Every structure is written in C-alpha cells, then in structure tokens.
Amino acid sequence: MRILVVEDESQLAGHIVRALTRRNHTAESRADGAEGLRAALTSPPDLIVLDLGLPGLDGLTVLARLRAPACPARVLILTARGEVGHRVKGLEAGADDSLAKPFAMEELVARVEALGRRGATPTAADLLKAGDLVMDILHRRVSRAGQPIALSPREFDVLQVLLQEPGRVFSRTELCERVWQRDHEYDTRTVEIFITRLRKKIEVGGAVPLIHTIRSVGYTLRPPEAPSAVGPTAGRSSPL
Ligand code: CA
C-alpha cells in the first residue's frame, strides 16, 4: 500500500515509516497538518496514519477537509492517551480506525494491514443503490451519477435508513428512533431539517427526486422508474 504518515513527532514518524517499509509498503511522512493535507489531496495514498495533535491544522480539521472532497484514502487516527472524545470525534468525522498513543509498533502495523484488507473496493453487500445514487456503507461515502456527495454523519445515517428499504414509508418518529436512538435531543422537526438538507445535496442540478414526502405520514425513498423503451426520451437525439 501507499501510506502517508502525518505525525509531528519526527522520531515516532520515522519509526512508523520504517516499520511500514519493512512490511513492503511505500510510506512517507509529513510533519504538520497543512503539508499532510496537501500531500494527501495531490496524490491520494491508499491509507493515511493521521495524528490528531498536529501544529497548524489539527488532525480533525485535516480529516474534515480530506472527507469533504471525498478523498478515498482510509484513515487511521492516532490520539493522545485518554483523549476518548477525540477518538469519537475522529471516527464521526470519517476516520476508519483509531489507535491511542503510546502503542506497540506491531499493533500499528496490524491495524494498517487490517484496514488494507478491508480493501479499497467494497463488496456488493456494502453498497446500497437507488438509481444512480450509490452509498458505500463500509467507507461511509455517497455519490450520485459518479459525483461524490459530502454528507454529515447524521445525514448519512438518515439516508442509510431510507436506502435500506426503498419504497417503505417511514414516519418522522420512526426515523428519529432509528437514527437518534437513545439521544433524546431530537424531535420530528429535526428529521424535517435533515430531509431538507439531504434533498439539497442529493437532488442537485435537476437530478430526479428520490426522497418523497408522504403527506401526513412521513418519507420514503424510491428509485426512479427504469426508463421505458417507448418513453418520451427514447431514441431522441440530444440537441447538444
Ligand atoms: Ca502530535
């Protein structure tokens, strides 16, 4: 794998690079967040080992900026001891795994290689589709007509519930319970806000609507009808 290590402790970065190189990976390191981000976006590696405590841009910001243009690299974050909150925030922001410092180098290598085995290509079971909308559950990515769509973790969760059972109507309360679970800081109005945000993101540019409101009941997601051979656009040549 091609691995980018973003770690400001130069000695540790050197140890990690050498340990990964010994396992026949190609590894290079960057010592601050801005440089790491630039390297990751210029030439996306397969995997990034990302320290959260970095000078300049901190790791969480780097992660958010990586995920916004849907950088495909898997990310293992390194967190300082006892920073449970950071770990959770990192995973919510799209990291694939985390490791707390200090760690044994064997453990880091094992985690990196386990993430590698998860593969860059998800299997059919990891993909949910409705028309040209595709959700990759494994890497928590969504695209429509091949264009990546950046969703917040909650937006992703709402869409996942709808996509798992296309055509089924969910009441606002049921969606709340499925997505927010025990978190009581929600009401059905929250669901409406999330649905509106999702529509803005997945139905841009005149794309066929997928999420439908069922009046006084809730919402459903339906794939667009398959184009019929005798449909109005069949056989028509485009003026463009
Ligand atoms: Ca650090």
Side-chain angles (χ1 to χ4, degrees), residues 52-213:
L52 285 191
L54 289 169
L57 282 184
D58 67 89
L60 281 176
T61 308
V62 172
L63 186 56
R65 297 206 187 156
L66 278 175
R67 288 314 191 210
C71 171
R74 279 146 282 164
V75 177
L76 168 66
I77 50 172
L78 305 179
T79 59
R81 185 182 0 208
E83 298 276 16
V84 179
H86 280 173
R87 189 180 80 85
V88 172
K89 275 191 194 141
L91 293 175
E92 280 188 350
D96 298 286
D97 196 5
S98 73
L99 188 57
K101 292 177 179 180
F103 50 82
M105 199 52 71
E106 294 81 6
E107 166 124 44
L108 179 128
V109 172
R111 298 281 194 103
V112 162
E113 295 187 340
L115 278 177
R117 278 194 296 276
R118 274 207 216 164
T121 334
T123 65
D126 302 316
L127 296 178
L128 297 175
K129 292 183 189 175
D132 56 0
L133 180 77
V134 180
M135 170 177 277
D136 170 358
I137 299 173
L138 194 60
H139 302 102
R140 289 185 70 87
R141 283 178 210 138
V142 174
S143 66
R144 184 143 196 209
Q147 294 298 311
I149 299 171
L151 297 182
S152 73
R154 284 296 193 225
E155 288 164 358
F156 185 98
D157 294 342
V158 172
L159 185 60
Q160 184 177 354
V161 170
L162 292 170
L163 261 174
Q164 269 165 341
E165 294 178 74
R168 175 165 164 207
V169 179
F170 289 88
S171 70
R172 290 170 181 77
T173 309
E174 192 176 4
L175 271 176
C176 276
E177 286 168 358
R178 290 275 199 107
V179 173
W180 280 265
Q181 297 169 2
R182 283 169 207 281
D183 178 359
H184 291 291
E185 292 183 16
Y186 67 75
D187 53 39
T188 52
R189 175 81 190 115
T190 312
V191 170
E192 289 168 22
I193 292 166
F194 274 84
I195 293 284
T196 305
R197 278 164 45 179
L198 270 177
R199 279 177 167 150
K200 276 195 189 137
K201 290 185 175 182
I202 68 172
E203 296 172 0
V204 286
V208 180
L210 297 173
I211 300 175
H212 302 271
T213 304

Side-chain angles (χ1 to χ4, degrees), residues 7-9 51 53-54 101:
E7 167 61 77
D8 57 312
E9 293 164 50
D51 184 28
L54 289 169
K101 292 177 179 180

Side-chain angles (χ1 to χ4, degrees), residues 18-41:
R18 281 192 294 279
L20 292 171
T21 306
R22 271 199 297 277
R23 299 282 299 178
N24 293 324
H25 300 292
T26 306
E28 55 179 312
S29 67
R30 293 290 185 278
D32 75 60
E35 277 188 37
L37 182 64
R38 199 172 311 123
L41 292 178

